[in-house]
């Protein structure tokens, strides 16, 4: 138990004051975001807060690493908007619970490690796109809705909002130069809140978005038919939600690993995220995943343990139960200023500094991922496309590296020493290396510096040996690695080759 919960691992030095203050700051920034996304999706506002509480508490205790903050993230909620419009809230809860089951299976099968296949340019694009999305979402706070019409603030209301946002940003920037005992974000929120209350300044507040007052999350089984037709409806949404949540979550986990210099457990995070979403489906929560903005708020406030996430979740619950009248008075300008600073801190400015030194393909991948993240808000799609493009570029680069050094020994045997991997991208170049018509009677293809990677490579070997066989000549393969031999043995029904064994393999020559 001690090893499982870092909160109670006394070998880890924990600054409880810092953790508690960081948790309070995170809660203040999470509440308006959860409410905004719940309203955007057409959910009751409390569904957003319940999701933030359940997601935050479960993953803070059981998640893959300390410092990671989860809640009702917009990335996963956006996936469910279409289902909400077509089938209603009960089907949404069913999809959320099913998404949680899928995420648990991903964790149990230990598939979380595949996040390592995401290249750095994709990470840059993902983070930069998300930073821009966070920033752009804050501009919505400069709008007001009257009689169903949304328009930009103007005149005095705009100047007040802009001034308070600027004051918040100024405090966040300047306060750490004087003291770091209090998280700058929390101090900024409290100072701006006090100014607004003391001077009676009229400005947009949290209560203008929605009411945050309620009770404990009630247990309820989604009121949907438990049959195949229902599964057909909710499964596509559940699958996409699970993929988006895991993608954003594991990328955020990797980002926290880099910032803190520690290592998280991706499979454990998958299981915790899945368990939290199952609970969301049965306790009126809108589901979610790790939230990069709130995570960065947490880390910038000095948190490095699980306590801050637990404090944030319990604070949200406390606000739902008794603190709604006070929190409802918080000026949105203060929260907007904090989130703008988070967006600035999230952006990978280093990616711009090395822009000219990056390969053009990496620049292209980074820009594509950024644009997809900004305009589609589909993080899973952005990362998937980025990985595919990177893989194709890698395949193309390796395809160009296939080479063959040729020489004929004293016995008249011609040797082809192959360099570079033989796979689907390099088989054409491989076939062009051989001169079947003019080669002597015996040929040896040496794979000491190469590998047979896939079925395309096997087919290329079959084709070249067939060409030599039709010409009445003998081909032998030499220095094949054990995995290449296994691949050829598994494909022996469609290919027949002679393997000239090197003495180091301690097997007899096959003729």
């Amino acid at each position: 138990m001690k090893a499982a919960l870092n909160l109670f691992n006394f070998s880890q030095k924990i600054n409880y004051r810092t953790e508690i203050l960081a948790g309070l700051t995170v809660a203040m920034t999470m509440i308006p975001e959860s409410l905004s996304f719940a309203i955007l999706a057409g959910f009751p506002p409390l569904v957003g807060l319940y999701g933030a509480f359940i997601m935050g508490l479960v993953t803070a205790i059981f998640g893959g690493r300390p410092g990671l903050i989860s809640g009702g993230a917009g990335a996963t909620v956006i996936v469910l908007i279409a289902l909400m419009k077509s089938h209603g809230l009960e089907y949404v809860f069913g999809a959320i619970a099913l998404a949680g089951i899928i995420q648990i299976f991903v964790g149990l099968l230990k598939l979380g490690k595949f996040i390592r296949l995401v290249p750095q340019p994709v990470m840059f694009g993902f983070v930069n796109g998300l930073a821009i999305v966070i920033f752009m979402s804050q501009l919505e706070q400069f709008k007001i809705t009257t009689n169903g019409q949304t328009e930009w603030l103007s005149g005095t209301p705009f100047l007040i909002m802009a001034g308070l946002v600027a004051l918040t940003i100024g405090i966040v920037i300047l306060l750490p130069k004087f003291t770091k005992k209090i998280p700058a974000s929390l101090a900024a929120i409290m100072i701006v809140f006090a100014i607004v209350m003391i001077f009676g300044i009229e400005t947009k507040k949290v209560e203008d978005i929605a009411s945050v007052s309620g009770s404990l999350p009630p247990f309820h089984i989604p009121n949907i038919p438990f049959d195949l037709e229902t599964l057909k409806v909710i499964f596509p949404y559940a699958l996409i939600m699970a993929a988006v949540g895991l993608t954003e979550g594991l990328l955020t986990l990797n980002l926290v690993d880099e910032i803190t210099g520690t290592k998280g457990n991706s499979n454990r995070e998958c299981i915790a995220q899945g368990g939290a979403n199952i609970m969301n489906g049965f306790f009126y929560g809108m589901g979610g995943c790790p939230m990069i903005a709130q995570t960065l708020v947490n880390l910038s406030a000095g948190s490095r343990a699980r306590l801050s996430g637990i404090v944030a979740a319990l604070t949200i619950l406390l606000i739902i139960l008794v603190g709604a009248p006070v929190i409802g008075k918080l000026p949105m300008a203060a929260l907007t200023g904090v989130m703008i600073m988070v967006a600035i801190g999230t952006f990978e400015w280093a990616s711009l500094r090395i822009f000219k030194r990056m390969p053009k393909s990496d620049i292209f991948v980074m820009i594509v991922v950024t644009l997809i993240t900004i305009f589609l808000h589909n993080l899973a799609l952005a990362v998937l496309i980025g990985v595919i493009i990177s893989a194709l570029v890698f395949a193309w680069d390796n395809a160009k590296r296939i080479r063959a050094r040729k020489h004929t020994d004293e016995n008249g045997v011609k040797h082809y020493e192959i360099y570079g991997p033989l796979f689907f991208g390099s088989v054409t170049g491989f076939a062009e290396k051989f001169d079947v018509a003019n080669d002597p009677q015996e040929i040896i293809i040496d794979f000491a510096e190469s590998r047979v990677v896939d079925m395309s490579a096997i087919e290329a070997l079959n084709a070249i040996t067939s060409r030599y066989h039709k010409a009445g000549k003998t081909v032998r393969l030499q220095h094949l690695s054990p995995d290449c031999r296994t691949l050829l043995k598994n494909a022996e029904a469609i290919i027949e080759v002679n393997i000239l064994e090197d003495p180091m393999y301690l097997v007899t020559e096959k003729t």
Side-chain angles (χ1 to χ4, degrees), residues 136-431:
M136 291 175 63
S137 67
Q138 302 314 305
L139 299 181
E140 294 297 315
Q141 304 305 330
F142 287 86
K143 296 180 181 179
I144 188 171
T145 301
T146 53
N147 299 324
Q149 297 292 323
T150 300
E151 57 185 18
W152 290 92
L153 292 173
S154 59
T156 302
F158 173 81
L159 293 176
I160 291 174
M161 184 74 176
L164 293 174
V165 169
L167 175 61
T168 304
I169 292 173
I171 294 171
V172 172
I173 293 174
L174 297 175
L175 185 63
K177 299 180 184 299
F178 299 97
T179 179
K180 294 184 179 179
K181 292 184 178 181
I182 303 175
S185 298
L186 181 60
I189 292 172
M190 293 297 100
I191 291 172
V192 174
F193 182 27
I195 292 173
V196 169
M197 294 300 294
I198 292 171
F199 294 99
I201 299 174
E202 287 295 326
T203 186
K204 191 175 181 181
K205 300 179 177 66
V206 170
E207 64 186 6
D208 296 327
I209 299 178
S211 172
V212 295
S213 178
S215 60
L216 288 171
F219 174 78
H220 115 292
I221 298 174
N223 185 20
I224 56 177
F226 289 90
D227 54 25
L228 185 59
E229 291 303 315
T230 301
L231 183 62
K232 289 180 180 178
V233 171
I234 67 174
F235 182 76
Y237 294 97
L239 184 63
I240 297 172
M241 178 183 170
V244 169
L246 292 178
T247 301
E248 181 170 1
L250 295 180
L251 287 177
T252 304
L253 184 143
N254 276 7
L255 188 63
V256 178
D257 286 352
E258 292 179 11
I259 292 173
T260 62
T262 56
K263 183 67 176 174
N265 187 324
S266 57
N267 294 312
R268 177 174 170 177
E269 180 60 35
C270 294
I271 295 172
Q273 191 177 145
N277 275 322
I278 291 174
M279 289 189 65
N280 271 309
F282 288 94
F283 284 91
Y284 275 99
M286 71 178 183
C289 65
M291 305 172 74
I292 190 169
Q294 278 68 28
T295 298
L296 290 172
V297 167
N298 189 43
L299 296 178
S300 64
S303 171
R304 292 296 183 271
R306 296 180 184 274
L307 180 57
S308 61
I310 296 172
V311 169
L314 294 178
T315 300
I316 291 173
L317 178 62
L318 191 64
I319 287 168
I320 294 172
L321 297 177
V322 298
V326 176
I327 297 302
K329 300 296 182 182
L330 279 179
M332 287 302 303
L335 304 177
T336 299
V338 169
M339 295 306 294
I340 288 175
M341 289 306 299
V342 167
I344 293 172
T346 301
F347 196 90
E348 284 283 1
W349 300 101
S351 65
L352 300 183
R353 291 195 294 271
I354 63 174
F355 203 80
K356 293 183 179 180
R357 299 195 294 271
M358 293 173 67
K360 292 182 180 178
S361 58
D362 286 352
I363 294 174
F364 177 72
V365 168
M366 185 175 72
I367 292 175
V368 167
V369 174
T370 299
L371 292 177
I372 293 175
T373 303
I374 292 171
F375 291 106
L376 298 183
H377 290 200
N378 191 329
L379 305 181
L381 178 64
V383 172
L384 178 62
I385 291 176
V387 170
I388 290 173
I389 296 174
S390 298
L392 291 175
V393 170
F394 176 80
W396 176 255
D397 288 342
N398 277 274
K400 295 186 294 185
R401 294 178 183 177
I402 191 80
R403 307 189 309 278
R405 183 180 297 169
K406 311 166 190 177
H407 71 275
T408 304
D409 63 21
E410 65 275 9
N411 298 319
V413 178
K414 188 170 184 179
H415 294 253
Y416 285 87
E417 297 176 358
I418 307 300
Y419 293 83
L422 182 58
F423 69 112
F424 71 90
S426 60
V427 293
T428 301
F430 172 78

Side-chain angles (χ1 to χ4, degrees), residues 24-39:
L24 294 174
T25 308
V26 167
M28 295 303 102
T29 61
M30 192 182 294
I31 288 171
E33 188 166 339
S34 298
L35 288 172
S36 298
F37 282 119
I39 294 169

Side-chain angles (χ1 to χ4, degrees), residues 80-129:
L80 302 171
I81 293 177
L83 180 61
M84 177 65 186
K85 291 180 178 178
S86 62
H87 289 80
L89 190 59
E90 296 297 328
Y91 277 78
V92 167
F93 289 139
I96 292 170
L98 183 57
I101 293 172
I102 294 171
Q103 290 172 330
I104 287 178
F105 273 110
V106 170
L108 293 175
L109 295 174
K110 300 188 183 301
L111 301 179
K113 60 186 177 183
F114 287 105
I115 197 66
R116 290 179 297 181
L117 296 177
V118 178
Q120 191 62 42
V122 176
M123 282 286 289
F124 279 151
F126 162 79
V127 172
N128 291 348

